[in-house]
Amino acid sequence: MSSKVCKNCGSTAIDVDHARGNAVCMSCGSVLDDNIIVSEVEFVETGGGGSLAVGQFVSSEAKQNINTLGHQLQMSQHCLDTAFNFYKMALNKRLTNGHRSSHVIAACLYLVCRTEGTPHMLLDLSDVLQVNVYVLGKVFLHLAKELCINAPAIDPCLYIPRFAQMLEFGEKNHDVSMTAMRLVQRMKRDWMHTGRRPSGLCGAALLVSAHMHDFCRTVKEVVNVVKVCESTLRKRLTEFEDTPTSKLTVEEFMRIDLDDECDPPSYTAGLKKTKTQQLEKQLMEKMPDVEDEIKGYQDEIDAELESLRPKLKGVYAAYVNRDLSSEDIRSVLSQQDDNQSDEDEELRAVARHFDKDLDTLTVEALIKLEQKTPEEENECGMKIPERVGPSLASILGTMPSAATLGLPETINKCTGEERENDGAADSGELDLSGIDDSEIELYLLSESEIKIKTALWMAENSDYLKEQKEKEAKIAKEKELGIYKEKKPKSSGKKRSQIRASTADEAIGKMLEQKKISTKINYDVLKDLNIRPSASPARKAESVKSESSAKLTRRSTKPAQTPTGLSVPLSTLGKRLQPFISRQPNKKQAVESPQDSLCNPLPAPAAAPASGGVVVESGPVVYNDVADEEEDEEEDTCVSAMDLLGGNDYGFDGDDDDGF
Amino acid sequence: MDSSNDEAVDIIITNVVATFRTRCHLNLRTIALEGINVIYKPEVGKVLMKLRKPRITASIWSSGKIICTGATSEDEAKLGARRLARCLQKLGFKVRFSAFKVVNVLAVCSMPFSIHLVDFTKNNRPIASYEPELHPAATYRIKNIKATVQVFSTGSLTITGPNVQNVATAVEQVYPLLFECRKPLCK
């Protein structure tokens, strides 16, 4: 169903020629539809008397969508036709179910791009559609699988001319492109391209080649064109830097091609990790040797400290002596450190601190020291074996972790082995073998704890609980009032089927039947309304009155006031014919055929006598405001029919009348 | 298991997901208030309970359906599930342990060579698919055993399947195909 507006000039004068299958705009002459015949679905009688639907199931709308999207991406007509074919195939295989039509169309287009090798990225399509690229990707993959179309893999070289164009290299465009292509090929051989977005590689290659040709393109400019993140681009550049090719000069690069191939960058990163881990292991193995050395030094330190201690007590007097003693220590330890005095102070502090424990000063103690005051005591431990190997900190650092590793195992042992698993029958009985009840009880809180937790939980979730209470209160209230609808948020009122009728009379009849309005309505009178609006007296008034008041109390949700005239061709209004008969029953006034007077605000229904006699009016007929209302209306003011009709938003010009 | 390889390739199971039913309605609020290590999500309508010993996380619904994730072997999953049921029993619900089923197993594996994904995909159309714009790995779906293998260019694989046996079979199936498109690592 195409709208009757020309896309090029906007005029509404469109001539649809079913014989030729054309739809042509009368003002500008452009052809809007050119295969209506084929795209309509016809019904044909089969032999046994049944009917068969024949024709294309693809609506012209879909084809238009494809074309629009394709033009936005500057795709050739040939591609668009192929895309259309894909779409038809997809329809036949019912692949469009479950996906939005726009997604399916985009997927078909992208499929064509891939098979033809055009430089369009999935990202472009998702940009145009404002859809998540992964969602589109899913649809695309699904489509490709079902249609058994093998889309060839993307080559980053395809994108280079396109991006180079956007970066505006002017005359040197070709040179830059060629260099960039060489770079990309080199990257491919260096295994940088597997698993990466081709656009990122292109971006890096173009950046480098631009610089090689003395164009200063910043990272930001490239990022805008290529649509990757800055950090991605930088990462690609660093990876490329790691390859041996990066060491070549510009001229060399153009001439030579190195034979070696590199490993993928993620692999090298992983390798580094394993290497460091191996190193650590080796260091751990060397630990015992180091430990012995440490012990030796410790013993020496201890001995010296013991001998020095008496001197220490005379601090002030022996200030000079202290330096001498420190030198002794130094000679004993034969170190060559910088901050000697500090160190000795610390040693002494250590000694003082562990006065009693000097004998038992072992590596474990040192570790504890380390953990307690990492900086101060570390110095002592660290400086000693410095020349032996890497800093003790790292070695000692790993040791606590080894210790902590042992802990879970011990816990496991304590709690006992529970590895047996006889296949418990599926009878629903819980096989308790191997389940330690006491341990499970650890998972449950005690009484007092429960109380505390309840209080806490209630406090935290007070908002949510409030909401729940309010909801329940509302429901209870409504139940009392008898209005309560089950599952209110789900249903949005009764769904009405569309009224399809060829004439207004039928439509009215159907509508009234549907709405189960009073059987007392004299339909004939209503029909009369259509034929001769102003002439026929509106005899329906008495019936209308009663029906309006009696039946239409239901105030189910209706769409906004729809201005309708009973004679308005319903095909144009469709299901908007929700008669305002029901909306405000007693206020509404049936409007006669809108000759000229529809647009004019109707006079207040002053003319209508409250007794509900026959209303004779020259203008549109209005339902009476009946005195014997059975319901109280909120509004007591008289509302003009124009308002009832929906006011000014109903642009019902006389021109569009079909001339009833 | 690895009869086709010369060197052993380690398949490490990282996650086993299992479901079971307790055949009785569970009051989530009670569980939330009386259990340790529980997270209550009233918006979604479930309680997350984490066990320490077989390190698992269980999602408990009020209908009595429970999904158990995080185990590293099928047996562990079953043990954890039984533990959980016992725990719920202690809370006072009449649980019955029924319909235990391992639903998903996730394993990782590493090949000693790197793989050229484009060639691999070309050789194995349509079973394998590779979209660098979407995901860095090539996906190889084996229909008859319902396993999916994701192949990365560094040679690592992640395999998901309905049980451990299928996962092992999948690796065996895929290995020769990968071997063809390999590229020996130079460093």
Side-chain angles (χ1 to χ4, degrees):
Chain A
M1 200 170 84
S2 53
S3 55
K4 294 292 176 202
V5 175
C6 172
K7 294 179 190 65
N8 299 333
C9 65
S11 87
T12 51
I14 296 181
D15 173 40
V16 181
D17 189 350
H18 286 278
R20 285 176 174 225
N22 280 349
V24 182
C25 168
M26 290 279 102
S27 52
C28 68
S30 53
V31 176
L32 300 169
D33 278 333
D34 54 358
N35 51 358
I36 300 178
I37 290 178
V38 185
S39 41
E40 276 177 356
V41 176
E42 302 282 331
F43 288 95
V44 175
E45 238 191 66
T46 55
S51 53
L52 201 61
V54 167
Q56 268 186 17
F57 287 99
V58 183
S59 62
S60 50
E61 214 180 278
K63 185 166 170 98
Q64 278 162 11
N65 281 344
I66 292 181
N67 286 340
T68 338
L69 210 50
H71 284 311
Q72 274 178 316
L73 297 168
Q74 286 121 27
M75 289 172 63
S76 68
Q77 191 56 41
H78 163 70
C79 295
L80 294 177
D81 291 336
T82 327
F84 190 55
N85 284 334
F86 284 148
Y87 188 72
K88 268 190 283 180
M89 285 202 289
L91 268 183
N92 283 336
K93 295 197 175 183
R94 302 178 61 98
L95 298 175
T96 44
N97 291 346
H99 302 293
R100 301 226 174 133
S101 59
S102 52
H103 294 352
V104 182
I105 290 171
C108 290
L109 277 169
Y110 187 60
L111 206 49
V112 171
C113 289
R114 284 289 282 269
T115 49
E116 299 286 320
T118 59
H120 290 103
M121 299 193 289
L122 199 57
L123 264 174
D124 303 331
L125 277 171
S126 77
D127 268 344
V128 169
L129 282 178
Q130 298 288 305
V131 166
N132 188 357
V133 70
Y134 295 107
V135 168
L136 267 188
K138 250 192 174 174
V139 180
F140 164 70
L141 283 174
H142 182 228
L143 209 64
K145 201 170 59 155
E146 297 295 323
L147 295 177
C148 302
I149 294 172
N150 295 323
I154 308 172
D155 192 2
C157 301
L158 282 176
Y159 292 140
I160 288 185
R162 177 183 157 196
F163 290 142
Q165 200 101 31
M166 296 213 256
L167 282 170
E168 293 171 9
F169 289 121
E171 297 165 345
K172 280 192 154 187
N173 201 338
H174 183 73
D175 295 333
V176 178
S177 305
M178 297 279 46
T179 330
M181 276 209 219
R182 272 187 73 101
L183 278 165
V184 168
Q185 276 158 7
R186 185 63 230 169
M187 283 182 195
K188 273 202 232 175
R189 293 188 58 193
D190 285 334
W191 284 74
M192 264 176 66
H193 80 294
T194 29
R196 271 76 191 279
R197 288 235 176 109
S199 42
L201 290 173
C202 291
L206 274 170
L207 190 60
V208 174
S209 73
H211 282 275
M212 279 160 72
H213 288 272
D214 301 322
F215 283 101
C216 38
R217 294 278 177 271
T218 60
V219 173
K220 275 204 180 131
E221 290 173 13
V222 177
V223 160
N224 279 337
V225 164
V226 162
K227 296 179 197 160
V228 286
C229 188
E230 256 192 60
S231 48
T232 316
L233 203 56
R234 281 187 216 281
K235 203 167 181 227
R236 298 284 168 270
L237 290 173
T238 29
E239 283 169 4
F240 189 60
E241 206 183 332
D242 290 335
T243 65
T245 318
S246 61
K247 310 286 186 294
L248 302 173
T249 66
V250 176
E251 292 83 23
E252 282 175 4
F253 175 71
M254 302 305 286
R255 282 183 284 121
I256 313 172
D257 205 12
L258 292 174
D259 286 332
D260 298 334
E261 297 181 353
C262 301
D263 293 325
S266 45
Y267 182 78
T268 41
L271 259 186
K272 271 188 203 164
K273 234 190 198 177
T274 46
K275 268 193 185 163
T276 47
Q277 277 177 357
Q278 272 181 346
L279 249 177
E280 277 183 29
K281 263 193 204 166
Q282 284 174 0
L283 292 172
M284 290 275 290
E285 284 160 24
K286 283 193 195 163
M287 267 300 293
D289 310 331
V290 179
E291 272 182 40
D292 294 337
E293 291 202 49
I294 296 173
K295 270 196 179 170
Y297 288 128
Q298 276 167 4
D299 295 337
E300 289 182 28
I301 295 172
D302 297 342
E304 277 303 317
L305 286 172
E306 282 290 334
S307 58
L308 288 172
R309 210 180 285 154
K311 289 180 195 173
L312 283 176
K313 285 184 180 162
V315 163
Y316 297 104
Y319 189 79
V320 179
N321 294 342
R322 226 200 284 165
D323 291 325
L324 291 171
S325 60
S326 69
E327 298 206 22
D328 290 336
I329 295 174
R330 213 184 305 157
S331 61
V332 166
L333 299 176
S334 62
Q335 291 184 65
Q336 289 145 20
D337 299 308
D338 297 332
N339 30 354
Q340 289 295 323
S341 51
D342 293 338
E343 197 185 319
D344 298 332
E345 294 260 334
E346 281 158 5
L347 277 175
R348 264 171 235 135
V350 173
R352 249 175 275 149
H353 198 231
F354 292 94
D355 219 348
K356 295 156 196 170
D357 301 340
L358 275 173
D359 299 333
T360 57
L361 197 64
T362 54
V363 183
E364 283 80 13
L366 266 183
I367 293 169
K368 283 181 203 159
L369 271 180
E370 200 182 52
Q371 285 167 345
K372 280 182 200 167
T373 56
E375 290 177 39
E376 199 184 343
E377 276 90 359
N378 264 3
E379 299 283 329
C380 340
M382 276 177 64
K383 303 279 184 180
I384 297 163
E386 204 164 323
R387 55 202 178 111
V388 179
S391 67
L392 185 61
S394 66
I395 298 170
L396 282 179
T398 54
M399 276 198 63
S401 64
T404 52
L405 272 179
L407 289 172
E409 290 162 29
T410 48
I411 289 177
N412 279 338
K413 281 185 204 148
C414 294
T415 48
E417 286 281 49
E418 294 164 6
R419 289 290 148 197
E420 2 154 341
N421 263 314
D422 19 17
D426 215 47
S427 61
E429 293 304 315
L430 183 57
D431 183 10
L432 289 177
S433 62
I435 293 180
D436 187 8
D437 270 0
S438 53
E439 199 219 335
I440 297 232
E441 265 165 22
L442 289 175
Y443 285 117
L444 303 175
L445 298 170
S446 67
E447 283 288 327
S448 53
E449 285 173 339
I450 291 176
K451 282 187 201 150
I452 298 171
K453 189 165 184 185
T454 320
L456 276 174
W457 192 87
M458 291 293 174
E460 252 199 61
N461 296 332
S462 52
D463 297 333
Y464 174 74
L465 288 171
K466 247 190 262 171
E467 276 175 42
Q468 296 292 82
K469 279 197 191 130
E470 281 168 18
K471 247 194 201 173
E472 283 173 25
K474 232 194 333 177
I475 293 172
K477 230 196 287 174
E478 282 172 352
K479 269 191 179 147
E480 286 169 29
L481 292 176
I483 314 173
Y484 179 58
K485 275 191 200 166
E486 292 287 339
K487 288 190 187 172
K488 233 179 189 173
K490 291 273 178 171
S491 69
S492 53
K494 295 189 192 135
K495 300 239 160 140
R496 294 192 182 281
S497 55
Q498 288 205 20
I499 300 172
R500 295 214 185 281
S502 46
T503 68
D505 314 11
E506 277 190 46
I508 299 167
K510 280 189 189 166
M511 177 264 307
L512 291 174
E513 281 169 27
Q514 263 192 3
K515 286 198 53 68
K516 300 187 185 86
I517 301 176
S518 167
T519 49
K520 298 172 195 160
I521 296 181
N522 193 345
Y523 288 104
D524 300 332
V525 175
L526 282 179
K527 279 185 200 163
D528 277 348
L529 285 179
N530 251 346
I531 300 167
R532 294 296 309 175
S534 19
S536 71
R539 271 197 211 98
K540 53 159 185 53
E542 66 270 29
S543 49
V544 164
K545 175 176 45 119
S546 51
E547 57 83 2
S548 61
S549 56
K551 288 293 169 178
L552 308 168
T553 61
R554 273 170 293 157
R555 240 188 303 282
S556 44
T557 58
K558 288 286 182 292
Q561 291 183 1
T562 56
T564 53
L566 288 174
S567 62
V568 169
L570 286 155
S571 50
T572 57
L573 294 172
K575 66 181 176 208
R576 284 178 72 226
L577 186 75
Q578 305 288 344
F580 45 67
I581 299 171
S582 65
R583 246 206 128 220
Q584 288 181 353
N586 299 319
K587 300 286 188 230
K588 292 295 176 76
Q589 316 203 314
V591 178
E592 256 195 311
S593 69
Q595 284 291 340
D596 328 345
S597 40
L598 191 60
C599 294
N600 308 330
L602 293 166
S611 55
V614 172
V615 177
V616 180
E617 296 192 7
S618 55
V621 178
V622 291
Y623 283 121
N624 292 336
D625 191 342
V626 186
D628 49 323
E629 292 176 6
E630 292 181 2
E631 274 200 85
D632 286 332
E633 297 286 349
E634 306 94 312
E635 305 166 34
D636 288 323
T637 56
C638 290
V639 184
S640 77
M642 196 58 205
D643 293 351
L644 295 174
L645 289 170
N648 299 322
D649 48 348
Y650 181 55
F652 195 80
D653 296 326
D655 296 339
D656 290 353
D657 256 0
D658 283 350
F660 279 164
Chain B
M1 283 285 150
D2 302 325
S3 50
S4 53
N5 321 342
D6 296 325
E7 0 166 321
V9 175
D10 287 333
I11 308 178
I12 306 165
I13 302 179
T14 50
N15 191 18
V16 174
V17 179
T19 62
F20 70 98
R21 309 172 84 156
T22 58
R23 294 280 192 86
C24 78
H25 188 268
L26 300 171
N27 185 347
L28 295 185
R29 205 179 277 198
T30 328
I31 302 176
L33 293 176
E34 296 183 16
I36 313 185
N37 309 330
V38 286
I39 305 171
Y40 184 26
K41 296 199 170 185
E43 320 87 43
V44 189
K46 67 179 183 187
V47 167
L48 290 175
M49 185 159 182
K50 304 200 192 212
L51 258 59
R52 241 176 271 138
K53 256 261 321 235
R55 192 166 272 281
I56 53 171
T57 307
S59 304
I60 306 170
W61 272 267
S62 58
S63 61
K65 277 216 187 133
I66 302 184
I67 299 186
C68 201
T69 61
T72 53
S73 79
E74 289 185 356
D75 295 337
E76 219 182 80
K78 184 138 199 198
L79 176 67
R82 287 195 293 130
R83 282 225 165 149
L84 194 65
R86 179 80 185 128
C87 195
L88 292 175
Q89 238 176 28
K90 291 217 157 165
L91 278 173
F93 300 108
K94 295 204 187 86
V95 287
R96 290 154 55 80
F97 187 76
S98 78
F100 175 82
K101 182 165 189 266
V102 169
V103 171
N104 190 24
V105 173
L106 175 78
V108 293
C109 178
S110 189
M111 299 282 142
F113 44 80
S114 55
I115 302 161
H116 203 237
L117 292 181
V118 182
D119 289 344
F120 175 71
T121 332
K122 267 194 230 161
N123 296 345
N124 300 302
R125 287 284 165 75
I127 317 176
S129 92
Y130 172 48
E131 269 316 299
E133 293 192 20
L134 295 176
H135 189 55
T139 337
Y140 187 85
R141 288 179 208 271
I142 308 176
K143 232 178 170 182
N144 48 354
I145 51 176
K146 283 186 259 182
T148 307
V149 180
Q150 288 189 346
V151 182
F152 290 86
S153 59
T154 54
S156 351
L157 319 176
T158 67
I159 312 116
T160 52
N163 56 51
V164 179
Q165 186 60 38
N166 279 16
V167 162
T169 327
V171 174
E172 291 194 10
Q173 266 195 21
V174 129
Y175 185 87
L177 305 167
L178 295 176
F179 197 70
E180 286 176 10
C181 318
R182 77 186 180 289
K183 182 219 161 244
L185 296 162
C186 40
K187 288 175 194 170

